[in-house]
Amino acid sequence: MLKYFISTSLMLCFFMGISQDKTIDLQPKDTTVYRQIYGIRAGVDLSRPILSFTDENYTGFEIVGDYRLTHNLYIAAELGNEKKTIEEQLGNNLANDNAGALYNYTTSGNYIKLGVDYNTYGNWYGEYNSIFVGGRFAYSTFDQTLNSYSIFDSDRYWSPNQLVSGSNTPIDFSGLSATWLEAVLGAKVELFANFYLGASVRLGFLITNKEADNFKNLWIPGFNKVTDNSRFGIGYNYSLTYLLPFYKKANKKKKAEEPNEVE
């Protein structure tokens, strides 16, 4: 009997010695897995239908969308159509209402913009708002019609009170195109479940500009007004989009920093 008691005591001492070599972690660990929604967010630009309703010389429509690649990186795109009639005035107050109109033209065409957005805003769990910076490569193909024009005569001897009459016969210029780069700054806020209101401002830099031989591209769909001696243009949009969830993905945990070794 004593023999068995001694053997049992020795085994207990052996296992207690092993267990004392293991450190006990008293710090509670967060085992909760936080999953983020990944999917397509698509909708329309609100500013163009509003402008089409308020301005009889403009019609336009734009579809916007993005797809979430990583926690903060999105693929983004815009696809649109615009038509605008513009009348360039001489800037004087002549008696004839049309005397100051140098030319009247209409530009109509389509455009597409492709690029990425990076979200710089840190959301609480379950939020998907964003303050983003991004970039786009844009391409537009369009036609222009010179509806009418007058001739500017600096001498004004033969027509002191008005411009020299030019032509009211429309002249069409087709097969025009342009490409540009855009820097984008914007924000998107969730109004209610999966619906987002967004706004952005864009600074474009014109890369290529295919023009007609005898009439310049003065306005480009998607780029806006083209100014002399400058390749820059400014645009904006106000979007309403809906998030279509595809799946949820857990965030990657940051590696804990190793404690400094004591020398």
Side-chain angles (χ1 to χ4, degrees):
M1 184 67 181
L2 181 61
K3 178 181 179 181
Y4 291 108
F5 178 77
I6 295 172
S7 300
T8 304
S9 299
L10 291 173
M11 291 180 65
L12 288 173
C13 292
F14 175 75
F15 286 115
M16 288 178 64
I18 293 177
S19 63
Q20 289 177 357
D21 291 338
K22 297 181 180 180
T23 59
I24 300 175
D25 188 3
L26 299 178
Q27 296 293 332
K29 294 183 178 180
D30 184 7
T31 58
T32 305
V33 178
Y34 297 96
R35 297 182 179 274
Q36 298 285 324
I37 293 177
Y38 285 70
I40 287 180
R41 186 164 42 190
V44 297
D45 171 31
L46 299 175
S47 64
R48 283 168 171 79
I50 294 174
L51 190 59
S52 300
F53 181 76
T54 57
D55 186 355
E56 62 180 7
N57 293 321
Y58 173 87
T59 57
F61 185 77
E62 181 179 279
I63 299 173
V64 301
D66 60 48
Y67 176 75
R68 190 176 188 178
L69 280 180
T70 66
H71 183 61
N72 290 319
L73 188 64
Y74 295 77
I75 294 177
E78 293 89 25
L79 177 65
N81 172 274
E82 288 186 307
K83 180 179 180 181
K84 188 174 180 67
T85 298
I86 301 174
E87 185 172 88
E88 294 290 342
Q89 298 289 331
L90 180 62
N92 54 11
N93 296 318
L94 299 177
N96 192 333
D97 292 340
N98 295 323
L102 284 173
Y103 46 83
N104 180 292
Y105 66 95
T106 300
T107 304
S108 176
N110 307 307
Y111 61 90
I112 185 172
K113 304 177 183 182
L114 299 173
V116 295
D117 290 332
Y118 184 82
N119 181 24
T120 63
Y121 180 74
N123 286 290
W124 291 93
Y125 178 67
E127 291 183 343
Y128 302 98
N129 302 321
S130 62
I131 298 175
F132 60 88
V133 293
R136 303 284 189 276
F137 174 79
Y139 172 74
S140 178
T141 176
F142 54 97
D143 300 329
Q144 285 195 130
T145 300
L146 179 59
N147 302 311
S148 62
Y149 67 91
S150 300
I151 300 173
F152 176 70
D153 184 4
S154 59
D155 185 17
R156 293 292 184 89
Y157 180 79
W158 300 107
S159 55
N161 297 321
Q162 64 181 6
L163 298 177
V164 179
S165 178
S167 173
N168 292 320
T169 303
I171 304 174
D172 295 327
F173 305 97
S174 60
L176 308 175
S177 64
T179 60
W180 65 93
L181 295 176
E182 276 187 359
V184 184
L185 176 64
K188 291 180 181 178
V189 179
E190 188 172 16
L191 295 177
F192 44 90
N194 293 347
F195 281 92
Y196 292 81
L197 182 65
S200 68
V201 61
R202 288 118 187 283
L203 177 64
F205 179 77
L206 202 59
I207 301 175
T208 63
N209 186 16
K210 183 181 177 182
E211 299 177 316
D213 293 335
N214 53 349
F215 192 69
K216 292 184 177 181
N217 295 336
L218 303 175
W219 191 86
I220 298 173
F223 183 83
N224 289 329
K225 188 176 181 179
V226 181
T227 57
D228 292 335
N229 302 320
S230 176
R231 288 182 171 270
F232 290 96
I234 297 177
Y236 62 91
N237 76 351
Y238 299 96
S239 63
L240 180 64
T241 56
Y242 177 80
L243 173 62
L244 181 62
F246 285 170
Y247 61 92
K248 289 187 176 182
K249 182 179 178 181
N251 292 342
K252 291 183 178 180
K253 293 183 178 180
K254 295 181 180 180
K255 294 182 179 179
E257 295 182 357
E258 297 181 358
N260 296 329
E261 295 183 359
V262 179
E263 295 181 356

